[in-house]
Amino acid sequence: MILADKITEERKKNGWSQEELAEKLGVSRQAVSKWESAGTIPDLQRVLQLAELFGVSTDYLLRDEVVQEEVSVYISEPSEENKPIRRVSMEEANRFLDMKRKGAPTIANATAMCILSPVLLIILGTMAEDHVFHITEGLAAGVGCIFLFGMIAAAVFLFITCGIRESHMEHLEKENFETEYGVSGMVREKSRFYEPIFTRGIAIGVVLCILSVLPLIVAGAMEAPDYICGAFVALLLLLIAVGVNRMIRVSIVKSSYDTLLQEGEFSKEEKRVKGKLDAFSGAYWCLITAIYLGWSFWTMRWDFTWIIWPVAGVLFAALSGIMRFVVGEKE
């Protein structure tokens, strides 16, 4: 139990509101509120006053204690008893947040590159079919494939380098930990400040993905030739890439706050479930990628086979929900 929790507990034991405690100490209610939310730490003089008011020792207020409930967790879960609980300092928390903030554009851009990789193949392929600029099918396929594999290779390079760079802190996303005094308050404050940015980013991304179908609707209404339709498909992929890029950027930053607060999908319960689903997730997306490439090269219909990705995404969400329920039932 940290100082913030002890101040709250002792104040409530005495039946005082934050305003009443503030009056007794000669400080503002906001100061007491910040102490109890771990936003700030009272100075030594205030700690002495608090100890006298509450009738406790300063040693009790300042020393972190092992809560009996935490001990019972280790007794009831022998498999975890040999795993020491990590403590995350303010410096480590700030490094983690800064690392995620800098890495978000890299992951978002790499994902967008994967989405845009077949664009040139689609455009050149449809131009070759309509004999525009005398482009041959062989030239269209050759240049298009070079661009496609080049984009995918560059994206994979970015994924790998970013993953290696962040691997030394991946334990925060997979293991349980405790934060030192003041860390949770700092992270929660930053999370509240970032919430409007996150909401706006997700909204923009979703709207762009919805609007991405408009080029195909326009092309169908115009009864445009194939090479115009190819250009509209490329525009569709561009809108999706921009929308997904925006959503990934803000989601990674938001998830970094949830990671340190151990909330949402990074809560202790979710980490246990997620650990059991990681193998399924990796195998699933490898299989989908293999199906996409095999189907695309077999049919050479890159302007159509992209549909596998949204279908796979919806199917993955459904399967993950089912497996999460099954794992939860077993536990």
Side-chain angles (χ1 to χ4, degrees):
M1 186 184 296
I2 63 175
L3 176 58
D5 298 328
K6 292 175 183 177
I7 294 174
T8 305
E9 181 180 297
E10 294 298 326
R11 175 179 62 78
K12 291 180 178 178
K13 279 183 182 178
N14 285 276
W16 299 331
S17 65
Q18 289 184 342
E19 290 84 355
E20 291 171 329
L21 178 58
E23 286 180 10
K24 295 178 184 296
L25 295 172
V27 299
S28 66
R29 188 201 64 79
Q30 288 78 11
V32 174
S33 176
K34 288 182 179 180
W35 295 345
E36 294 187 354
S37 65
T40 59
I41 305 174
D43 59 32
L44 183 57
Q45 183 61 36
R46 299 302 181 196
V47 172
L48 292 173
Q49 286 182 276
L50 287 166
E52 185 177 350
L53 275 174
F54 295 150
V56 298
S57 66
T58 55
D59 185 59
Y60 165 76
L61 290 177
L62 297 174
R63 178 186 297 175
D64 288 349
E65 294 180 345
V66 178
V67 183
Q68 183 63 31
E69 291 144 355
E70 292 178 351
V71 176
S72 66
V73 170
Y74 289 108
I75 294 174
S76 62
E77 297 182 13
S79 61
E80 299 290 328
E81 64 182 359
N82 294 324
K83 294 183 180 180
I85 296 294
R86 296 176 181 266
R87 291 186 65 82
V88 179
S89 65
M90 185 72 75
E91 181 184 2
E92 185 178 5
N94 279 314
R95 282 204 311 270
F96 176 76
L97 293 176
D98 189 56
M99 178 190 72
K100 285 295 184 179
R101 179 179 58 80
K102 292 180 178 178
T106 301
I107 298 299
N109 292 337
T111 305
M113 289 168 65
C114 291
I115 296 173
L116 292 173
S117 60
V119 163
L120 192 59
L121 186 61
I122 293 170
I123 293 175
L124 293 179
T126 52
M127 291 177 69
E129 289 180 5
D130 287 354
H131 307 290
V132 178
F133 301 130
H134 305 290
I135 296 176
T136 64
E137 292 186 1
L139 177 63
V143 174
C145 286
I146 291 173
F147 181 81
L148 182 145
F149 285 110
M151 291 280 279
I152 292 178
V156 170
F157 174 81
L158 293 176
F159 284 134
I160 292 175
T161 54
C162 189
I164 293 174
R165 190 164 56 245
E166 297 182 358
S167 61
H168 68 288
M169 285 192 169
E170 66 180 5
H171 61 274
L172 296 178
E173 299 175 342
K174 297 180 178 179
E175 302 174 10
N176 296 330
F177 57 85
E178 294 177 350
T179 55
E180 293 184 356
Y181 182 81
V183 173
S184 294
M186 177 273 293
V187 175
R188 200 172 296 281
E189 185 65 25
K190 288 189 175 183
S191 180
R192 280 198 295 266
F193 176 79
Y194 192 76
E195 191 68 34
I197 301 174
F198 169 73
T199 303
R200 185 166 58 251
I202 293 296
I204 292 173
V206 171
V207 168
L208 286 174
C209 289
I210 294 174
L211 294 178
S212 65
V213 300
L214 291 181
L216 290 184
I217 296 175
V218 172
M222 294 171 52
E223 298 184 358
D226 288 345
Y227 75 94
I228 297 296
C229 291
F232 279 135
V233 170
L235 180 58
L236 175 147
L237 293 178
L238 177 61
L239 289 172
I240 292 176
V242 174
V244 170
N245 184 295
R246 186 61 185 168
M247 288 190 287
I248 290 176
R249 283 174 183 256
V250 296
S251 296
I252 289 177
V253 176
K254 179 66 168 62
S255 69
S256 68
Y257 299 130
D258 291 342
T259 299
L260 292 176
L261 294 173
Q262 297 191 90
E263 295 179 347
E265 64 177 304
F266 297 100
S267 65
K268 295 178 181 180
E269 294 76 14
E270 284 294 316
K271 285 178 181 178
R272 285 198 296 269
V273 175
K274 188 178 179 182
K276 298 180 180 181
L277 296 180
D278 281 345
F280 162 74
S281 177
Y284 177 86
W285 288 112
C286 285
L287 178 62
I288 292 299
T289 302
I291 292 174
Y292 168 69
L293 293 175
W295 185 22
S296 299
F297 279 111
W298 180 266
T299 62
M300 293 307 292
R301 289 293 309 275
W302 297 86
D303 59 328
F304 176 76
T305 54
W306 61 269
I307 195 69
I308 194 173
W309 294 110
V311 173
V314 174
L315 183 60
F316 178 75
L319 292 176
S320 295
I322 294 172
M323 292 194 66
R324 188 179 297 274
F325 174 77
V326 171
V327 171
E329 286 290 309
K330 287 182 178 180
E331 291 188 348

